[in-house]
């Protein structure tokens, strides 16, 4: 069984004691083992305290934070309503454990795959620019194929086919609304150019873990009025789900050895992305190559290349070629590479 | 060391001056003058006649210079002067213009040699209000000519949007 450590921040003494004792009480009903440790990476933060709010602002990109408040803050992915009660606590911790096990992080000290979830590879899939030697050994890739139909993408396609507005949610996390009328999705604001900071819980999990509920179109409008958020093209959510749920598994029906090329750049002005996706787009629109060669030439891990390829495949950007064709481009000097890195660093400050 | 520069070119009113201002750490030095031509006046009050200039200081103290070319055809002689020695080119096209793809053709033709030697990225402005021609139309034109450059919608007022274009340009220079 996976083991997670959790701690608290800015809770008053009573709530802190209550949380610790409740954690022990509910442990038998949790799908993972949870224990309280001061140095844990998962932190319950009292959002009604100034100290908690400041901590949230500083740490939300680095740690897994659970908002503790009477009303769910818009920016929170994970939420525990005040006062602490057994049922919401169990739901939140179980959902968080499920999402964490899909997303290998330091938060879990050991992970095993629960029976309800498909197997996952141990390939890290969220870091931004990889500066170490690339992982080009395809032996490290999961042998499982990525089937988009088993993720949120399958549910979205069903909603599109039925022309039915839907609400998708896991536990107390931020929901995603699909408007059939607009053919768009409404959710909390996504950071398009910093995918790592985007809450990806809903996009990681298999569809059995997602609660989906048909709703009226007016409910979508009501949701935006009450909770804020933003409409995104369906393509952006499908793209994000493919990137998040692939986990280094090649999409069904494709061979790793097949040379591929992109027809043109994905529209990164609307599709969530990380810096390495820009590198991949630049290389893959100019060269026809196997994914292992793409990884080698761009210094991006093979798992990240596969995730990007899957997302491009769903965007219908991929063309398969008989043979690899690499441009005979002069090597860029180390001084030039260093200059480009310097410019990028300055621009992204 | 030689000058490090990126050149912004493209159609009149596409937002070259605005894009440079969005990322420059100094106020843009501009040679804008009040427009007098009727066709220019219909689109904006001032126009660049020589160049725009902005800059960014890199960590090692070097300056990245950002030049904007004048948009009007009669100042074409300035384009190649400004592009000489540049790292790459950002081509901005105003999608609300009367013939945006024709405008792109003009800039691609003018800078063809430079693009072959370095690279370029194409930013399409005002797509939110003028969605046609769409991105696919631009790509179709480029593919007919065997050109593989990124085409991305851009909001010249947004630094994130302009930074994305330069990220794409640098990736093309290194990996494309």
């Amino acid at each position: 069984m996976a083991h997670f450590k959790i701690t608290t921040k800015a809770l008053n003494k009573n709530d802190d004691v209550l949380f610790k004792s409740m954690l022990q009480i509910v442990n038998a009903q949790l799908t993972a083992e949870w224990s309280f440790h001061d140095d844990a990476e998962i932190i319950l933060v009292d959002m009604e305290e100034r100290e908690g709010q400041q901590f949230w602002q500083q740490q939300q990109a680095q740690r897994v934070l659970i908002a503790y408040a009477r009303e769910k803050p818009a920016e929170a992915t994970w939420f525990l309503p005040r006062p602490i009660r057994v049922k919401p606590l169990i739901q939140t911790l179980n959902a968080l454990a499920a999402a964490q096990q899909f997303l290998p992080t330091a938060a879990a000290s050991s992970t095993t795959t629960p029976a309800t979830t498909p197997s996952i590879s141990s390939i890290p899939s969220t870091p931004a620019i990889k500066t170490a030697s690339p992982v080009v050994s395809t032996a490290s890739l999961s042998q499982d194929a990525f089937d988009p139909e088993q993720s949120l993408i399958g549910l979205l396609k069903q909603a599109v086919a039925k022309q039915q507005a839907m609400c998708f949610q896991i536990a107390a996390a931020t929901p995603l609304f699909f408007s059939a009328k607009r053919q768009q999705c409404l959710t909390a604001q996504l950071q398009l150019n910093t995918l790592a900071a985007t809450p990806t819980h809903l996009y990681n999990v298999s569809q059995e873990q997602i609660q989906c509920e048909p709703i009226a179109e007016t409910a979508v409008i009501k949701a935006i009025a009450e909770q804020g958020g933003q409409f995104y093209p369906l393509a952006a959510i499908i793209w994000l789900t493919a990137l998040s749920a692939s986990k280094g598994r090649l999409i069904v029906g494709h061979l790793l050895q097949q040379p591929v090329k992109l027809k043109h750049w994905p529209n990164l002005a609307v599709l969530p992305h990380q810096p390495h996706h820009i590198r991949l787009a630049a290389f893959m629109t100019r060269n026809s190559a196997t994914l292992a060669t793409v990884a080698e030439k761009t210094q991006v891990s093979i798992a990240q290349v596969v995730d990007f390829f899957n997302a491009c495949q769903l965007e219908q950007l991929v063309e398969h070629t008989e043979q690899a064709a690499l441009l005979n481009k002069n090597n860029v000097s180390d001084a030039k590479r260093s200059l480009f890195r310097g410019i990028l660093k300055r621009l992204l400050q | 060391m030689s000058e490090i520069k990126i050149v912004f070119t493209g159609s009149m009113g596409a937002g070259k001056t605005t894009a440079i201002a969005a990322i420059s750490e100094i106020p843009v030095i501009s040679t804008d003058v009040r427009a007098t031509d009727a066709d220019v006046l219909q689109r904006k009050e001032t126009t660049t006649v020589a160049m725009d200039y902005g800059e960014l200081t890199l960590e090692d103290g070097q300056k990245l210079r950002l030049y904007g070319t004048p948009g009007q055809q009669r100042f074409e002689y300035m384009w190649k002067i400004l592009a000489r020695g540049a790292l790459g080119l950002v081509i901005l096209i105003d999608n609300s213009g009367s013939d945006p793809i024709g405008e792109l053709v003009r800039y691609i033709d003018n800078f063809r040699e430079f693009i072959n030697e370095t690279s370029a990225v194409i930013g399409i402005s005002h797509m939110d209000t003028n969605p046609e021609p769409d991105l696919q139309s631009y790509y179709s034109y480029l593919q007919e000519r065997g050109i593989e450059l990124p085409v991305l919608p851009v909001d010249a007022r947004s630094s994130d949007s302009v930074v994305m274009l330069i990220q794409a340009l640098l990736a093309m220079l290194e990996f494309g």
Side-chain angles (χ1 to χ4, degrees):
Chain A
M1 181 181 273
H3 180 200
F4 294 93
K5 294 175 183 176
I6 189 166
T7 190
T8 58
K9 185 71 184 176
L11 265 66
N12 66 42
K13 199 174 175 184
N14 284 348
D15 277 347
D16 200 46
V17 171
L18 180 63
F19 176 73
K20 286 173 187 168
S21 53
M22 293 275 265
L23 188 63
Q24 288 187 332
I25 292 167
V26 303
N27 230 319
Q29 297 173 65
L30 299 176
T31 54
E33 189 182 334
W34 287 80
S35 59
F36 192 91
H37 283 269
D38 288 339
D39 61 348
E41 289 292 314
I42 299 174
I43 305 167
L44 180 71
V45 184
D46 191 333
M47 294 293 279
E48 291 173 0
E49 296 292 327
R50 181 182 291 271
E51 185 192 356
Q53 291 163 4
Q54 287 173 345
F55 181 81
W56 187 279
Q57 292 302 321
Q58 291 161 1
Q59 297 292 323
Q60 61 175 332
Q62 285 85 38
R63 310 281 191 90
V64 180
L65 303 181
I66 305 170
Y68 178 54
R70 285 178 185 81
E71 298 289 332
K72 182 177 177 301
E75 67 269 35
T77 301
W78 304 104
F79 170 61
L80 182 66
R82 179 192 294 270
I84 301 170
R85 294 183 196 282
V86 169
K87 199 174 170 188
L89 181 62
I90 293 171
Q91 285 176 339
T92 303
L93 295 184
N94 282 347
L96 206 159
Q100 290 297 312
Q101 286 174 90
F102 268 85
L103 232 185
T105 73
S109 58
S110 67
T111 56
T112 53
T113 309
T116 54
T117 58
S119 64
I120 56 168
S121 73
S122 59
I123 299 161
S125 61
T126 51
I129 295 175
K130 187 174 171 65
T131 51
S133 299
V135 183
V136 293
S137 166
T138 54
S140 62
L141 280 175
S142 168
Q143 295 305 303
D144 294 337
F146 166 59
D147 182 358
E149 299 300 322
Q150 298 304 313
S151 67
L152 175 66
I153 295 168
L155 296 174
L156 282 168
K157 282 186 177 175
Q158 288 169 25
V160 171
K162 291 178 189 166
Q163 286 297 297
Q164 171 64 57
M166 299 285 282
C167 173
F168 303 102
Q169 195 168 16
I170 58 170
T174 309
L176 176 85
F177 297 94
F178 168 69
S179 163
K181 193 174 171 187
R182 298 176 67 133
Q183 292 288 297
Q184 287 182 316
C185 292
L186 169 72
T187 189
Q189 193 158 14
L190 303 171
Q191 297 297 316
L192 290 183
N193 56 354
T194 53
L195 185 59
T198 300
T200 53
H201 58 283
L202 193 59
Y203 314 111
N204 282 329
V205 298
S206 66
Q207 60 172 248
E208 298 85 51
Q209 292 172 279
I210 301 172
Q211 300 162 22
C212 33
E213 187 186 343
I215 53 170
E217 283 288 339
T218 50
V220 181
I221 305 302
K222 194 177 166 198
I224 199 167
E226 287 176 357
Q227 301 172 24
Q230 195 171 323
F231 277 104
Y232 292 93
L234 197 55
I237 301 300
I238 291 174
W239 170 271
L240 177 57
T241 306
L243 286 177
S244 306
S246 295
K247 300 283 167 261
R249 299 170 301 164
L250 193 60
I251 195 166
V252 287
H254 290 271
L255 297 172
L256 205 54
Q257 297 80 10
Q258 170 85 51
V260 290
K261 190 173 189 288
L262 293 189
K263 293 174 191 165
H264 57 72
W265 277 59
N267 183 358
L268 299 179
V270 296
L271 300 174
H273 59 274
Q274 288 180 272
H276 67 268
H277 297 140
I278 297 175
R279 283 201 258 175
L280 293 174
F283 184 83
M284 293 176 75
T285 47
R286 300 274 286 154
N287 298 277
S288 171
T290 64
L291 297 185
T293 304
V294 173
E296 183 195 335
K297 297 286 185 188
T298 58
Q299 302 277 299
V300 175
S301 78
I302 184 72
Q304 290 174 323
V305 172
V306 167
D307 295 347
F308 179 75
F309 168 81
N310 291 347
C312 289
Q313 174 65 24
L314 290 170
E315 270 284 287
Q316 301 181 327
L317 292 175
V318 175
E319 59 187 20
H320 297 268
T321 56
E322 295 271 318
Q323 289 186 327
L326 296 179
L327 284 178
N328 193 14
K329 191 179 176 180
N330 291 335
N331 279 340
V332 178
S333 68
D334 287 345
K336 269 266 169 77
R337 281 184 203 280
S338 171
L339 173 63
F340 296 158
R341 297 273 186 274
I343 295 172
L344 265 184
K345 190 174 175 188
R346 175 66 184 84
L347 285 171
L348 297 173
Q349 269 177 3
Chain B
M1 174 169 257
S2 61
E3 188 180 41
I4 304 165
K5 62 178 175 179
I6 291 174
V7 172
F8 288 69
T9 191
S11 55
M12 189 184 60
K16 299 181 290 294
T17 309
T18 309
I20 293 172
I23 58 169
S24 172
E25 67 192 14
I26 61 165
V28 173
I29 299 165
S30 225
T31 56
D32 276 10
V33 297
R34 182 164 289 279
T36 51
D37 294 4
D39 62 331
V40 179
L41 261 172
Q42 278 180 351
R43 295 167 71 177
K44 56 183 196 169
E45 287 185 357
T46 63
T47 189
T48 303
V49 291
M51 64 173 191
D52 294 314
Y53 175 77
E55 65 182 31
L56 283 169
T57 308
L58 307 182
E59 204 170 56
D60 59 4
Q62 294 188 87
K63 300 281 186 199
L64 170 64
R65 301 173 197 281
L66 308 165
Y67 289 98
T69 68
Q72 293 178 73
Q73 200 152 8
R74 62 191 162 118
F75 299 117
E76 257 182 33
Y77 65 93
M78 281 298 295
W79 297 357
K80 284 181 181 166
I81 294 171
L82 289 173
R84 200 169 298 145
L87 284 178
L89 193 64
V90 176
I91 302 173
L92 296 179
I93 299 296
D94 178 2
N95 221 39
S96 68
S98 56
D99 180 17
I101 291 187
E103 290 280 291
L104 178 62
V105 173
R106 187 156 70 92
Y107 286 93
I108 291 281
D109 286 346
N110 251 290
F111 286 100
R112 189 70 191 250
E113 202 178 327
F114 176 84
I115 292 169
N116 288 342
E117 286 169 8
T118 62
S119 197
V121 57
I122 299 157
I124 311 296
S125 64
H126 304 122
M127 276 203 101
D128 49 344
T129 50
N130 295 78
E132 298 296 332
D134 61 7
L135 290 181
Q136 189 54 54
S137 305
Y138 284 99
Y139 279 120
S140 297
Y141 156 72
L142 292 173
Q143 276 158 5
E144 278 169 22
R145 294 185 157 216
I147 298 167
E148 291 162 324
L149 294 177
V151 184
L152 297 164
V154 64
D155 177 351
R157 299 162 300 181
S158 154
S159 60
D160 281 351
S161 189
V162 179
V163 165
M164 152 70 72
L165 287 183
I166 298 182
Q167 276 184 281
L169 175 63
L170 295 176
M172 289 297 289
L173 288 167
E174 192 170 356
F175 300 104

